[in-house]
Structure formats: structure tokens, C-alpha cells
Amino acid sequence: MRSPLPPPPPRFRAPLRAGPSAARWRWGGGGMQRAVGSLPLGPALRARLAAAGFQTAQELLDTGPCGLSREIGISKEEALEALQVVRQECSGDAARTAGGAGTTRKCTALELLEEEQAQGFIITFCSALDNILGGGVQLTKITEVCGAPGVGKTQLCMQLAVDVQIPECFGGVCGEAVFIDTEGSFMVDRVVDIAAACVQHCRLIAEAHQEEDHQKALETFSLESILSHIYYFRCRDYIELLAQVYLLPDFLSEHSKVRLVVIDGIAFPFRHDFEDLSLRTRLLNGLAQQLIIIANDHKSAVVLTNQMTTRIGQSQSTLVPALGESWGHAATVRLIFHWDKSQRLATLYKSPSQKESTIPYTITPHGFRDVQPPAVTQNTESTEMNPRKRPRREEEK
Amino acid sequence: MAAKKLRRAKLPQELCERLSRYQITTCQDFLCLSLLELMKVTGQSYRNVQKLLCQVSLACAPKMQTAYEMKVRRSVNPSSAFLSTTLHSLDEVLHGGVPCGSLTEITSPPGCGKTQFCILMSVLATLPVSMGGLDGAVVYIDTESAFSAERLVEIAGNRFPAYFDSDEKLFCMTRSIHLYRELTCDSVLKRIKSLEEEIISKKVKLIIIDSVASVVRKEFDTQLQGNLAERSNFLARGASLLKYLAEEFSIPVILTNQITTSLSNGLAIPADLVSPADDLFLSEVSGAPGSGKKESGCVTAALGNTWSHSVNTRLILQYHNLPTRQILVAKSPVAPFSVFFYTIEKSGLVLQDGKDQSSLTQEGTNPALQTIQVRNTVLKNTLVDAALPSSTGAAPGDPSNP
């Protein structure tokens, strides 16, 4: 490490402005006046720049790569790389302040409302569940499903992986699905059954309506195409899960039609082998952040399943969702599946726009369904309410 | 996977050396750090650190397959997806039999037939593929010393008399069943870890652990502070190891479990949104609690909630009328809740067809809380119990006289 350089003569520096206002101006400004400490350069490099006296990005750009390499004692290539990073950051800043699109995340509530109304829902084939969710599993939101073992969480996930692929003319979002499995409970044979029932259902609708785009959509909506568009990853421990979530944005950019990411069993890899609970909380929070970014940027729904754990109280013990209290903040919408003797119930536990309610559901050989009979009649005429919601039919039972 | 060294993730050499100075040598250490910490430790810019993160993730992440590829692979080799149990109706409901690549649990009260079922499955696994077997060896981890070689030979001889017509074939079969006696939790875990090499060298096609519950309950007293968490930890670790073996080699894994009494205390169940029943496994009573306790209790599978999550399929054996017993499919990703009747004969388990087959009803309940009928309910003396409140769980059939 070289000895720190003597302060350079003033003519190589922009004149220092005295006074507190100058400091504020340098720190808070974007673009060329951005302070060196806030640039995304390596920490060692930043330390050297600070020691050499550089304060704003403009100074760096004025000095040029050769001057920079001489002053700080780095190679010319490193200096060039640093300057390129600086240039990119500053032009990005300028674009942002000029109100450019892309990475801006600000908009008015009206724009948001329009977006939300145009937003698709992924239906679950259980009309009662769709109703309490406000139309189905919503895109760009994280939905968490908790439940006791064997209650139907994986069945719902498999159903959604099929339903996301329903073509738009039948009321679906026509997307693909990513299925990340940590428990090994994904059964291809079951997905085949569910997909076959779904195709049959759409076929019946097409026959009843006899429209051309229905027929055309049915040609591409077959069993093979449904199965080929479910991308399956089997993660055996939490490191593989973390690695896969880091790689997901690239994967989703390549497969831009993905509209659903399912992580079946987010609790399982985190519930053993963890002595350090604070590390677990940190990793889970990081995971939640990345999933929120994925959900928003790629306009897809993220569905997670969680286990239940026994919390021993003083006189009794209750079943609560696993992974602790802080995890409860990660999901936007939370569903709890539970049993009432031999009836399966789903409760909407947390939602920003719908009220808490409980409905019964059942699992049939065709998949996730209502408990018979569903209220069919009022839905057939209400298509003007939500043009994407296709009418239900009796034949699906 | 996690313990993969960073230099195998194709990171540049000097970077690995620099990281090892901070004790970051494996992918696990690398991925557990936040971005700022990574920047500090590697001395690289934000963008470079993201690229490094992607590189390390690529080294750890699983391979992608589409569901279609999985289906094609299974249909190419249909016999290898299941181990048929030769109980015809059960196989039908389970879409073939005991599934390969996942964990199947058999729970029952003592003496109902768990070990008989396991012995039967061992015989079946050694049969050639043409007869519905897997043509391989069996690893049998016995923690209760309940395995009987004579019974094994008896079942084989009586069930497949045409095949096992010579002593030679019987010897061949018995030679391929490898029995391990483990008596503590640690040794069971060690044995499971060592199985990977054994499976490859001995061409093992079935793993049976009989039983998980006995060794766990001997060592962990859940009334002591902290033991519940340790027990769940051990079970979860064992389950994930077994799942890894099952999936890696595409073989079935059968585990047996015991029963316990689940008591709900007399308090009014709060109307909250979590499970209505209280999960309080206090006393580990095996047998009917016919002692006049005021609380209503029911007999269910042991080892708690987390274990119920870890197994993929749960079959429950219970008593009906002596000598008939029932087999229930309580949890399965492919099968609905179903009930079958069987008896235990010389040739192992035999299903009774056509006797009140209530298959395909969706009447199951929480597999962790499914009530199980035990033997004493059937032999109950009606005179004595008229005075006591009945404290066994509601069961579909009533305990009529034997």
C-alpha cells in the first residue's frame, strides 16, 4: 500500500466551495455532482479516492483514466472500468430525474388503479376461493398458503401451475409456470390428471360458445403444451433455494411468458440445520425482498406454501404458521387451510383489499374444486363485471 | 451442493484466496452474506459482485426440467415408478403401489401388522421385474429387533410358491436383504448417511426403517424443555437425508411409526383461524386410554406435526373386528382417502375384497390427527365401561363384540 499522496495542487481540482450549503449540494445532488462515496465502486477503490481528495463524480470524469491511474496508483484498465461505472451511474441518475421510465417506481394512484383493474387473476377452479380472493390469485403479489400436512397446499399449487396457462379467451392469463419444489411432493401423474380435466373444461366451453378464437386457442392448449411449460426445479436445501432465487430474474427474462412462480415448501429447508436464528431471519427477509422484486418486475404471481408448527402456550398449544412472526410480513395475501372434522376449509387471513372469510373446498380427482354445488346461476350473466372471468358450468363436476 | 468449495464454482484463483482469508470457502458461506458484505470482502464493485453471485448460484442451483420431460421419463419406465404391494385394490388407489422417490409411512398400534407389511415389501423388492418387483437388494434398519427371518421365508414360500420352489431361490432372496440393528438416534442417522455408498455397491432398491418412532421416543422426552425442538430437528434432518436418497436413486423408502394419545384439554376451543384441534402430545400411551380420564382423547400417529409434513404418503393400519383389520390411505398426493380390510395370513397381508369397500370417499381428516382404533377397544368389556365415560376417539365402525 503506497503512502498517501500529498494534496494535489489546486488547479487539478474543482474549486472547493466553502460553507454548509456546499456540502448539502454535493451530497444530495444527482448526476455529475454525486459524491464519490455513493458510487457503486469497490470499497478499496473508494477509500483510495477519498484519501486522494476526490469528492464528486465530475472530478473523476474530468481527470480521465490516465490521470486517475497516476494519482491513485491503479492500473489504466481499472481506472477505465471505474470511469465507465461512474458514467453509467450518472446517466442513469439523469434519466431518473428527467422522469424517464424503466427503473422508476413512482406513479400516481390513478395509474395504479388502472393497472390493478387490468391485472389478471389466476383462477383456482374453486369459485368460492376465487371470490374471497377477489377474483383469484393476483399477479404481482405474493400469496402465502399455510396449512396442516395433507390439507391440500401442494394440490393447490399444482392446480395453479395448470390454470395459469389457460388462454385469454377462456379467462386465463396465458402464462407459464415455474415450480420450485423443496419437499419432493410434486407428482407428475397428478398434474397430468389436473391438466386433462382443465383441457376438458375448456373444450366444453368452446363447444358451447362456438367462437373462432376459442377453437384456435384450444389447438395450442393441450396436455403436452401444459406440461412443457411447467419449469420444475428441485431444491434440496436452503442454499440451492437461495441460489435458484438469485438466478430467477435471469431465467424470467429469458422465459418472459412466465406468470407464476410457486415455491412449494419454503419452510422445510429452513426448519432444520439452523442454529443461528438471526441468520435465518436475515436470509428469509432477503428472500422475501427478491421475490417482491420478481413479482413486480415480471408481473407474475408468487405463491409460497408454509407449514404449521406447534406453539406451546401455558395451558394449551396452538398451531401457527411456521418460520416465525417476522415472516408473516413477507406475504401480501395469506391463506390458511385447515380441517374441521372432515371438511377442508380455507381462511383468508391477511389481505389488503378483501375481508377475512372462510370457505369450504374439496379435492377431487380432477383437482381443486368447490364443495358441491357451487352457485352457478348468478355468474353466467355477470361477465360485464369482469370480462376475464369466464362463466362456470355444471359439467365440470 | 452447499458444501461445494468456491474454487469449483470457477471463481478466479486470487479471489478464492482472498475470500479464504475471511473464512469463506464454500458456496454456502458466500451465499449467506448480504451484498454489502460481499462487496467489502471481495473488494469489487456492485455490478461485479452481482455477477459473482450469479456465477456461484449457477454452481449450486438445481437443473431445470419441464413437467413434460418428467412425464416422458416416467412413462418410458413405468415399472420403476412404483413398487406394487400385490394388494390389488390398494395398488389401484395409489396409482401403482408404494411410490419410488418419496417417503411412505406406515402407522399402527402395536401388533397390527407393520412389521409384517415391511417383511412382505422386502420379499417383493427382491422379486424380478417381470413379477412386479424391483430385482434388487433391501436395506432393513431394525430398531426394535422385530425382524424374523423365519417369517420372511414363510411369507415368501406361501405367497409365491411357484417361484420359490427351490431352496436356492430362497437363499438368494434372503441374501439380498441386509439387516442392520441400530439402537440409538445417532447410530440411525449415521447409518442413513452411510447408505449412499451401500446403495450403489449392493444395488439396493428399497430402504425400510422399522421403526423411527421407537428410537426417537426412547431418547427424547418431550416434556423436558428444549427436547421438542431437538427432536423435530433430528427428524427433519433424517427426513431430508432419506428424501435425498429416495430421489437420487429413485427407490421407495418405507418408515414405520407408532401411535400416541392426543389430548384436547377441556377448554373451549378458541374460535381462531388456526387448526381447531389442539396438538398436545402429552403422554405416550400405547393402547386405549380406557381409564376414565375426563378429557376426550384420541389415538393418532406419533412424532408430531413436523414429521407429518415430511412424509409424502401415510398409510394407517388399525383394528376393526378381530381378525379383520383396516388399512387407511390417510395422506397421499395421488390417492383420495380410502379404507380397505385385510387379514394376516401365512402369506402375509391379504385384502378382503368386496366387503364394504368405501374407497374414493373424500372423508378423510387431518392426517396428523386421524384417529386410530386400537386393540383394546375391540376387547372392551361392556359392563365395566358403561360406568366410565368413553374416551376413545370416534371411529367409523363401532367397537362391537369380537
Side-chain angles (χ1 to χ4, degrees):
Chain A
M1 182 79 188
R2 292 164 54 128
S3 53
L5 298 166
R11 62 193 166 87
F12 287 113
R13 291 280 152 271
L16 290 177
R17 298 216 173 115
S21 54
R24 242 179 307 160
W25 167 75
R26 273 200 304 275
W27 180 80
M32 293 302 156
Q33 302 311 321
R34 200 163 142 178
V36 162
S38 71
L39 293 170
L41 302 167
L45 186 56
R46 268 184 284 143
R48 287 198 192 188
L49 290 172
F54 286 94
Q55 281 176 337
T56 69
Q58 184 64 48
E59 293 177 17
L60 289 180
L61 292 173
D62 285 342
T63 316
C66 299
L68 205 59
S69 73
R70 261 200 307 270
E71 286 216 30
I72 310 184
I74 54 178
S75 72
K76 295 206 179 62
E77 288 79 15
E78 286 175 27
L80 181 60
E81 209 185 296
L83 283 182
Q84 281 171 341
V85 169
V86 171
R87 209 166 277 135
Q88 231 173 351
E89 273 303 306
C90 296
S91 57
D93 279 344
R96 246 172 275 152
T97 48
T103 50
T104 7
R105 294 187 205 273
K106 70 169 200 221
C107 58
T108 65
L110 179 62
E111 289 163 16
L112 207 54
L113 180 65
E114 286 168 7
E115 251 186 62
E116 276 186 17
Q117 282 185 333
Q119 211 64 267
F121 291 91
I122 306 177
I123 57 173
T124 61
F125 269 91
C126 171
S127 55
L129 188 61
D130 288 342
N131 281 340
I132 62 169
L133 287 174
V137 172
Q138 203 174 1
L139 298 182
T140 76
K141 300 263 191 288
I142 301 187
T143 307
E144 185 183 336
V145 178
C146 319
V151 74
K153 310 186 286 291
T154 309
Q155 301 291 314
L156 178 64
C157 292
M158 295 196 276
Q159 181 75 56
L160 289 173
V162 168
D163 288 349
V164 72
Q165 310 194 30
I166 295 179
E168 285 177 3
C169 52
F170 295 108
V173 297
C174 195
E176 302 173 355
V178 166
F179 199 105
I180 300 179
D181 187 5
T182 62
E183 295 177 341
S185 38
F186 183 82
M187 294 269 144
V188 186
D189 304 315
R190 186 71 179 130
V191 178
V192 166
D193 290 342
I194 294 178
C198 187
V199 169
Q200 181 61 16
H201 183 104
C202 292
R203 205 169 280 154
L204 289 173
I205 297 182
E207 274 168 30
H209 284 229
Q210 290 292 338
E211 282 171 39
E212 208 185 288
D213 48 349
H214 283 195
Q215 304 292 355
K216 224 189 311 180
L218 263 188
E219 283 163 31
T220 48
F221 189 60
S222 67
L223 195 57
E224 284 92 51
S225 86
I226 298 180
L227 290 179
S228 324
H229 291 149
I230 300 182
Y231 304 110
Y232 177 78
F233 297 88
R234 173 76 171 97
C235 294
R236 302 238 171 87
D237 52 30
Y238 71 96
I239 291 296
E240 289 192 15
L241 179 62
L242 285 178
Q244 188 54 49
V245 175
Y246 276 130
L247 294 177
L248 259 189
D250 290 331
F251 184 84
L252 293 184
S253 317
E254 285 168 34
H255 299 85
S256 56
K257 285 192 73 182
V258 170
R259 287 286 169 271
L260 173 68
V261 174
V262 173
I263 302 185
D264 186 11
I266 194 137
F268 185 65
F270 286 101
R271 289 192 73 195
H272 59 100
D273 272 353
F274 257 105
E275 307 84 29
D276 186 3
L277 280 187
S278 59
L279 173 66
R280 184 179 95 165
T281 312
R282 191 153 61 87
L283 292 178
L284 282 173
N285 283 340
L287 208 56
Q289 295 267 1
Q290 285 168 303
L291 291 173
I292 292 177
I293 294 178
I294 289 174
N296 273 320
D297 283 350
H298 298 271
K299 286 212 175 0
S300 39
V302 175
V303 175
L304 313 168
T305 60
N306 198 357
Q307 294 177 352
M308 302 294 263
T309 182
T310 314
R311 180 188 290 167
I312 314 271
Q314 281 155 338
S315 54
Q316 59 177 22
S317 57
T318 49
L319 280 186
V320 296
L323 294 182
E325 288 296 329
S326 51
W327 178 250
H329 297 287
T332 320
V333 176
R334 215 172 201 195
L335 281 170
I336 297 194
F337 285 3
H338 53 113
W339 296 87
D340 179 19
K341 303 217 183 31
S342 55
Q343 178 63 55
R344 296 174 207 245
L345 299 172
T347 303
L348 185 65
Y349 194 55
K350 172 183 176 190
S351 164
S353 54
Q354 306 292 323
K355 79 175 170 118
E356 291 187 10
S357 32
T358 306
I359 53 108
Y361 67 92
T362 179
I363 315 261
T364 67
H366 299 299
F368 205 83
R369 294 287 189 272
D370 280 305
V371 171
Q372 271 193 352
V376 173
T377 43
Q378 51 258 50
N379 276 348
T380 43
E381 281 88 38
S382 66
T383 41
E384 73 274 2
M385 233 171 50
N386 185 353
R388 287 179 168 275
K389 198 167 180 175
R390 52 146 193 70
R392 314 257 164 196
R393 311 199 60 95
E394 283 287 359
E395 295 93 277
E396 71 173 305
K397 294 298 173 240
Chain B
M1 283 168 297
K4 198 166 176 175
K5 298 285 184 197
L6 283 174
R7 69 189 113 81
R8 286 182 7 235
K10 301 206 179 42
L11 285 188
Q13 182 67 15
E14 61 276 6
L15 189 60
C16 294
E17 278 166 25
R18 187 193 167 122
L19 289 172
S20 60
R21 257 178 277 143
Y22 292 93
Q23 269 99 46
I24 300 174
T25 47
T26 65
C27 293
Q28 181 168 357
D29 304 328
F30 194 88
L31 288 175
C32 280
L33 297 174
S34 70
L35 274 172
L36 284 179
E37 287 171 356
L38 281 175
M39 279 172 72
K40 185 171 71 144
V41 151
T42 60
Q44 307 255 355
S45 70
Y46 187 70
R47 257 159 254 256
N48 281 352
V49 163
Q50 281 184 317
K51 279 194 217 129
L52 285 177
L53 212 49
C54 275
Q55 210 176 338
V56 174
S57 303
L58 269 172
C60 292
K63 205 171 62 83
M64 193 265 293
Q65 29 179 343
T66 64
Y68 188 59
E69 288 163 16
M70 291 169 72
K71 171 169 174 279
V72 163
R73 212 177 315 137
R74 269 169 110 83
S75 57
V76 154
N77 215 348
S79 56
S80 76
F82 292 99
L83 172 57
S84 156
T85 62
T86 67
L87 302 171
H88 183 68
S89 316
L90 182 64
D91 282 345
E92 249 186 68
V93 153
L94 288 177
H95 284 226
V98 171
C100 292
S102 66
L103 305 187
T104 305
E105 183 198 82
I106 317 275
T107 308
S108 85
C112 213
K114 296 192 291 291
T115 309
Q116 303 297 310
F117 189 83
C118 292
I119 295 179
L120 175 63
M121 298 308 287
S122 324
V123 174
L124 293 176
T126 57
L127 291 179
V129 179
S130 54
M131 290 182 67
L134 296 176
D135 195 22
V138 176
V139 164
Y140 196 110
I141 300 180
D142 187 4
T143 63
E144 294 173 328
S145 304
F147 187 84
S148 155
E150 282 183 16
R151 180 70 175 129
L152 173 74
V153 167
E154 191 186 7
I155 289 183
N158 281 303
R159 207 169 184 100
F160 304 102
Y163 182 72
F164 290 110
D165 48 3
S166 65
D167 280 346
E168 173 65 43
K169 293 239 181 78
L170 281 174
F171 286 151
C172 196
M173 186 256 309
T174 49
R175 254 201 300 267
S176 44
I177 299 186
H178 304 276
L179 191 65
Y180 299 98
R181 286 219 170 85
E182 309 292 347
L183 297 171
T184 65
C185 286
D186 266 342
S187 61
V188 168
L189 207 52
K190 246 192 281 211
R191 176 63 60 192
I192 296 178
K193 286 185 189 152
S194 74
L195 274 184
E196 185 164 356
E197 296 178 12
E198 305 240 346
I199 294 177
I200 301 179
S201 61
K202 299 193 178 124
K203 300 204 196 347
V204 171
K205 289 282 197 253
L206 173 65
I207 301 176
I208 299 184
I209 303 188
D210 180 21
S211 68
V212 176
S214 68
V215 60
V216 165
R217 291 163 108 190
K218 269 191 290 204
E219 291 191 21
F220 294 102
D221 180 2
T222 51
Q223 279 180 297
L224 293 180
Q225 182 81 339
N227 266 13
L228 190 58
E230 253 191 72
R231 187 180 87 161
S232 305
N233 212 340
F234 165 77
L235 287 174
R237 222 170 331 137
S240 69
L241 278 172
L242 287 169
K243 278 194 194 191
Y244 167 68
L245 289 174
E247 286 176 12
E248 187 66 37
F249 298 102
S250 274
I251 55 178
V253 175
I254 298 183
L255 311 154
T256 56
N257 196 0
Q258 294 172 348
I259 54 171
T260 184
T261 314
S262 154
L263 301 173
S264 65
N265 50 27
L267 303 174
I269 295 171
D272 59 14
L273 305 166
V274 294
S275 166
D278 292 321
D279 244 347
L280 189 61
F281 298 123
L282 273 190
S283 54
E284 319 212 319
V285 176
S286 58
S291 54
K293 296 200 192 101
K294 279 296 176 189
E295 308 109 336
S296 62
C298 55
V299 175
T300 69
L303 296 185
N305 216 320
T306 311
W307 180 251
S308 306
H309 277 294
S310 308
V311 299
N312 299 103
T313 311
R314 176 171 268 176
L315 300 173
I316 298 182
L317 310 176
Q318 68 181 18
Y319 287 93
H320 184 65
N321 301 315
L322 278 186
T324 331
R325 299 129 198 251
Q326 286 180 323
I327 181 166
L328 302 139
V329 178
K331 175 182 179 189
S332 164
V334 290
F337 182 80
S338 348
V339 182
F340 304 99
F341 295 87
Y342 71 95
T343 52
I344 301 192
E345 319 258 336
K346 270 208 181 133
S347 59
L349 274 72
V350 171
L351 271 193
Q352 318 238 297
D353 286 311
K355 201 183 164 191
D356 300 321
Q357 289 293 20
S358 54
S359 47
L360 295 185
T361 52
Q362 283 118 38
E363 270 176 25
T365 178
N366 189 345
L369 298 177
Q370 176 78 39
T371 55
I372 303 177
Q373 262 178 296
V374 295
R375 191 178 205 135
N376 297 352
T377 60
V378 181
L379 294 178
K380 225 159 50 161
N381 188 343
T382 46
L383 276 176
V384 172
D385 284 309
L388 295 171
S390 100
S391 43
T392 50
D398 62 330
S400 49
N401 346 313

